[in-house]
């Protein structure tokens, strides 16, 4: 089945699932290193998606300031 949600919505849902799994793992005394890595990766992905959403389409910021 095709997912009609946007990439940001999918990433936010994945983050919620990772957070829930992390909470459960901590409560059960399990190793949480891998979940923490996954959470950091999805947070970075969400930040990038939000930045892409906020920037005008097709615009590229200069690599160095011009005077």
């Amino acid at each position: 089945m095709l997912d009609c949600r946007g990439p940001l919505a999918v990433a936010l849902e994945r983050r919620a699932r990772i957070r829930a799994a992390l909470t459960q793992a901590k409560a059960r005394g399990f190793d949480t290193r891998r979940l923490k890595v996954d959470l950091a990766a999805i947070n970075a992905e969400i930040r990038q998606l939000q930045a892409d959403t906020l920037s005008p389409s097709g615009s590229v910021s200069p690599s160095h300031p011009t005077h």
Side-chain angles (χ1 to χ4, degrees):
M1 183 172 193
L2 183 62
D3 190 347
C4 296
R5 297 171 296 160
L8 183 56
V10 172
L12 290 170
E13 184 177 313
R14 283 182 25 224
R15 180 174 66 181
R17 284 192 308 244
I18 293 168
R19 283 182 172 169
L22 184 59
T23 299
Q24 289 178 355
K26 283 181 183 177
R28 294 181 177 143
F30 294 157
D31 185 3
T32 59
R33 287 178 287 190
R34 178 63 197 185
L35 287 169
K36 288 178 182 178
V37 168
D38 291 348
L39 184 59
I42 194 68
N43 282 335
E45 182 180 335
I46 289 169
R47 280 192 299 274
Q48 184 61 50
L49 288 167
Q50 288 172 330
D52 291 348
T53 301
L54 295 176
S55 66
S57 181
S59 70
V60 177
S61 58
S63 59
H64 57 81
T66 57
H67 296 284

